[in-house]
Amino acid sequence: MEPPPEHGRLRAKPEKKGRRPPAGQVKKQVKMERSHVEDDIATTLSKLHLESDRITEGTALCYDDRMAEPYCTWDSRFPERPERVTTTMHKIHDYGLLDRCVVIESRLAVKEEIMLIHSADYVERIKSTEKMDADQLRSMAANYDMIYLHEKIYPACCLAVGCILQVVDNVMRGVVRNGLAVVRPPGHNALSDTANGYCIFNNLAIAARYAQKEHNIERVMIIDWDIHHGQGTQYIFEEDNSVLCFSIHRYEHGDFWPNLAESDCTAVGSGSGKGFNINVPWNKTGMADADYLAAFHNVLLPVAHEFRPQLILVAAGFSGVIGDPQGNMLTLPSCFTHLTHMLQPFASGRVILALEGGYNLRSTAEATCACLKSLLGDPCPMLELPYVTKHSALESISTVIIVQRRFWKSLRGHETGNVRDNAVTQVPRARMLDIDRALDRSMLEVMRPVAPHHTGLVYDDRMKEHKNLWEMDHPEQPQRIAQIHARHQELNLLERCQPIPAKLATEMELQRCHSPRYIKDLKQSQNLKPRDLQRMSAEYNSIYICPRTYECALMAVGSTFNVVEAVLTSQVRNGLAIVRPPGHHAEKDMACGFCFFNNVALAARHAQSLYSSKMRVLILDWDVHHGNGTQHMFEDDPSVLYISLHRYDNGMFFPNSDDADYDKVGHGNGEGFNVNIPWNGSRMGDPEYMSAFMAIVMPISYQFQPDLVLISAGFDAAQGDPLGGCKVTPECYAHMTHMLMSLGGGRVVMVLEGGYNLSSISESMTTCTRTLLGDTPPYLERLSPPLPSALDSMNKVIATQRKYWPCLQLLIPEMDSQRRMLKAQKPSMWSQQNEPPIRRGSIWAQTDTSSQGRPPDSASLYSVGTMDTQESTYKGESPGETSQSRGPSTISLQSNSTQDQEVEADPQRRKLSLWPQAAPPSSSIVESEGGRSSGQRRSSLWPLMPSETEELHHQARRLSLSLRQMPDVGADSADTKPRSKAKVTLGGVTSIRPANDARSRPTEQKESDMSASGSSKGQSDSEEEDRCCRQGRCPEPPAPIFTLTSGPGMVYTVVPLTNCPQLRAVSAVPDRGLDVWQACEECGAEGENWVCLSCYKVYCGRYINSHMEGHWANSGHPIVLSYADLSTWCYGCDAYIHHEILMPIKEEVHRLKFGQGMGS
């Protein structure tokens, strides 16, 4: 059995019967456990090997003047002409970009390399053009569509292929990180034996096969953003699942060249390549930056994370840039900088761009330079406003998702709803016609001077002087910043960062967000005695104050100011502040949750005071706790967009406020500028956070277009954090940081908030720092589908926010089989789906603005075929009219109904504490000047306060009723996770299936024979527990509750949680009593069954059909008891639990099952 790192460690010790060890020995053992937990986390995180990573830098550029030699001899106006590459190279040189590149020597591709894609006969046919005269060349060209031939065309084609292969070799060998090949003729329209659309050899198709053959690459992704569909590339790989082709192109329902039905989104590949061809067809002209970026956010990025390419090849055609005579689009060069930036976290940064089309010489040259700037690591430019996704683009993207989601799990789970007409998307005609001015504005921002230093870093040891004088093991400890700083030093990151001096903020600066009276009260704490400091601390929720607290809080704010100033004055591109105490819980006139002054909120106001009150600031808060203070300070301000991803648990997670829910969107002028993404449960990790970023955070942030990005970087959602209960990896934090760096012109400031596992926060923040420094984010493991409750939360956010943010207004009917699965509450919702066949052409009809609020006519909305007889039909239904379609809150109504009723019945629900402070010296309630009670009662999630413990004791006595009082008992179970197939005889030998990891959903393991020992006592010393509670600490477990014998003289033990915040969910045994032999209510299984201690329904465990886990996901009832061995598991804590409140129920179950009480 492996140790569960978060909630207890299985440890070997000599078998000993009799009385439990003394309290001192137990405390020593618990401290050793904590050390082991830290070691486990550190071992896991050390697998990143950050210190040994070799940083691959440099951008390859390959070009050869000989590619400019061929031209159309019979038509001087032919669009594909030599000036396309010469003008581009001149522009690269003029901007000074050529000197920053690693220039790669060109070469001619050999016949064998070209024949990786093209037939030998076709290659010889093209080679024969070297000996043809002008008439023969023209005659041969007439056999192809949109082709000219020249006596130098064959060597130019070989050079185009050879240049790209040279870049591939250098990238794959680690000589450079990425590269650009400025080549012609283009290639993506060429078929294996036919020239087509200016293209002779398919350059990137050959490069893909070459990389697979020469560099053992298994997965290649080809991204084609040329305005024309690359049908040649699609045909070549349509049956190949090792090459994923993604094309975004003008289609117009087949009326645009190449006028093929295969260019529509319904062409998904065939055979084993089915699903590995993705077409995003634009059915209207005038598409702009927001439309292309929406396609990337909603389709390409999720699929790329699922496909995990090892090499990305980009068919970089710029015929979609504003001014191109063939594209008729409005995309600016700056947009392509962002598209290139989005690709660089994949394939370890191995991204290669090869020039395809583009027929306005200036537009093509400027866009190529914009992409090259991104490859070189320069910040992304700001995009122009208004930034709104067009109605037609939303229709196309929605159609693609409908077609592709049966192949890609990452595209399943999108919210349904009506696409709204966006009047603001119409671009003024004067701007559309003024091409040169539009290009001038775009390139002025693209070529904005870059700061001399990458990243500024502020840290000062003096901030460690804020410490808890009464609880030395308090989680908000000085070592948090010290260890982060030390880890930066170990990885030589401090040498790469520009040091920023610390400073103290002034009282006048604090008053931008905090009241003078509150500042004065906190300032007076510098002269208080410890007794008075303890009393003052008790006035607030989860706060301790020492004589140095005020000065440390001033330094945290002032240091953050200095980093912001350095970024805004272009001394550094971005920055990070390793500061404490944290700030996002601090209210205008109140400290809260370890926070005194709101560092990030004050930084936002400071930035606006330096430049303009209208300066747009994005505050992204990924701390696991909701930043209640930050939200309240800006909820009526449209200049600050606040987005928070946090645990909410239906209001039961700190700060225990309804303000953290998804429906709190701000008010007044700030309505819509507050976005809460609340997680209703633990175990949220990379899949949930990355999905939320791609579907919600980035689309909204792009539409907002901030001038500055502030990250409230709490790392308590990291794996191993004692407060968060989530599973976000350092790699995920790096990828989220990389995405945010595309905003605000790269002006990003990361400010430390929470995070209480020293190893987790150190590794997480260092990966973010490396990303800020320009390193490629570390490899992100394959993302599993998000948890159903997370999908439900995200869909509610989208349904709420879409009226403010048109970028969220997709219309995606829900998959019928997915609805059935949700209805059945299966633990996994990602089985293979069957999609209805969709007819060629647009499946969308324009909706009338006068009919908003009701579903559009189903006949005009879309037309599709019917599904199998086992499936329901889509035909004749609109999303708003389907009988089984899930509305925005279906799952919420199912999963939270019981809890919502409880909340409504108890409007005075007590608030939770992030961490309880020690009780004040006097037990009397003292009224402070501000009207706050210094002795007010509050409960705690970590751990329970004495008042909460007393209440639970009373509840336990009420539950006992006529049952006998609990005596001292031995351990009553063997290994007992709600998923283990176990039959237990108390005190006897049993055969069990051990659990693997208490943090995650169980995985099946081999059975092993073990015996249960019932010698250790399960009841703690009341005097010791009361003393611990008075000190504000969690009563330590007196002895292991669950003991397993394995071999002579050795006992393995599991230490459960003795206090659990979910215990309030336990209900009294119903009047009907219990049936310990009851079968699973879902499948009738009689083996491993569990009873829910909230509703007393019975379902099977993990190794049967996981119906109890499904019940938890559906109902939100966290605590269950095993009828097999009487163990108790909390899904909310992801841990075994043991508490007096549970003993009467265990006593009754034991009596019913064995005919006697547990103490008999």
Side-chain angles (χ1 to χ4, degrees), residues 926-1069:
V926 180
E927 192 77 17
S928 66
E929 290 183 358
R932 290 188 296 272
S933 169
S934 62
Q936 61 184 343
R937 295 179 53 170
R938 55 170 69 91
S939 59
S940 168
L941 282 184
W942 183 294
L944 296 174
M945 287 292 289
S947 58
E948 181 73 6
T949 305
E950 293 168 5
E951 178 179 326
L952 291 173
H953 289 173
H954 289 310
Q955 188 176 353
R957 286 192 285 271
R958 290 195 299 271
L959 285 172
S960 297
L961 297 176
S962 61
L963 300 178
R964 291 179 297 172
Q965 294 295 323
M966 181 190 72
D968 284 352
V969 295
D972 58 355
S973 69
D975 176 68
T976 52
K977 281 208 174 178
R979 57 194 184 263
S980 61
K981 251 182 178 175
K983 293 184 177 180
V984 176
T985 303
L986 297 178
V989 178
T990 182
S991 175
I992 70 167
R993 179 168 305 188
N996 181 35
D997 189 346
R999 295 172 302 171
S1000 59
R1001 274 170 263 160
T1003 54
E1004 190 162 344
Q1005 300 180 358
K1006 296 181 180 180
E1007 295 186 3
S1008 60
D1009 291 334
M1010 298 184 182
S1011 60
S1013 173
S1015 60
S1016 63
K1017 292 184 179 182
Q1019 190 169 358
S1020 62
D1021 186 344
S1022 60
E1023 294 181 0
E1024 172 69 12
E1025 180 171 336
D1026 291 343
R1027 184 178 65 81
C1028 291
C1029 289
R1030 285 194 300 272
Q1031 295 176 355
R1033 293 184 290 107
C1034 178
E1036 294 166 342
I1041 303 301
F1042 308 128
T1043 60
L1044 306 175
T1045 302
S1046 179
M1050 300 296 290
V1051 175
Y1052 291 89
T1053 65
V1054 176
V1055 180
L1057 294 181
T1058 56
N1059 278 318
C1060 166
Q1062 311 290 344
L1063 284 170
R1064 58 177 53 83
V1066 177
S1067 303
V1069 177

Side-chain angles (χ1 to χ4, degrees), residues 169-245:
D169 283 336
N170 281 272
V171 168
M172 295 309 303
R173 291 169 184 163
V175 178
V176 292
R177 181 188 303 181
N178 50 48
L180 167 68
V182 181
V183 298
R184 70 178 288 264
H188 68 146
N189 297 128
L191 283 65
S192 60
D193 58 356
T194 304
N196 189 261
Y198 312 158
C199 303
I200 309 297
F201 295 149
N202 199 307
N203 305 325
L204 287 188
I206 297 171
R209 284 286 184 249
Y210 177 84
Q212 291 177 324
K213 179 177 180 290
E214 298 297 328
H215 299 284
N216 299 315
I217 291 296
E218 296 179 358
R219 298 179 304 279
V220 179
M221 189 171 188
I222 298 178
I223 298 168
D224 189 340
W225 61 50
D226 191 284
I227 200 65
H228 299 98
H229 176 231
Q231 82 277 23
T233 308
Q234 174 174 313
Y235 290 151
I236 290 168
F237 297 113
E238 62 183 350
E239 295 183 357
D240 189 343
N241 60 11
S242 69
V243 179
L244 173 60
C245 297

Side-chain angles (χ1 to χ4, degrees), residues 225 289 293 296-297 301 332-344 370-371 374 379-384 387 445-446 698 702 705 738-746:
W225 61 50
D289 300 355
L293 289 164
F296 268 54
H297 285 139
L301 295 185
L332 293 171
S334 51
C335 172
F336 293 92
T337 310
H338 287 258
L339 300 184
T340 305
H341 177 86
M342 289 181 182
L343 300 177
Q344 293 180 53
C371 292
S374 180
C380 289
M382 297 277 290
L383 298 177
E384 290 196 357
Y387 179 98
E445 174 62 21
V446 169
M698 295 311 297
Y702 261 97
Q705 278 299 296
H738 185 272
M739 284 189 271
L740 292 172
M741 288 172 65
S742 64
L743 302 166

Side-chain angles (χ1 to χ4, degrees), residues 29 40 186 233 236 296 361 400 444 500 557 674 724 771 785 791 810 822 850 869 930 937 940 953 963 996-997 1082 1138:
Q29 290 174 348
D40 288 342
T233 308
I236 290 168
F296 268 54
L361 297 182
V400 173
L444 183 64
I500 305 293
V557 175
N674 190 84
T771 304
L791 284 174
L810 297 174
L822 282 172
S850 63
T869 56
R937 295 179 53 170
S940 168
H953 289 173
L963 300 178
N996 181 35
D997 189 346
E1082 186 73 21
H1138 181 74

Side-chain angles (χ1 to χ4, degrees), residues 236 367 440 502 646 669 712:
I236 290 168
D440 288 342
H646 53 267
N669 292 333
S712 278

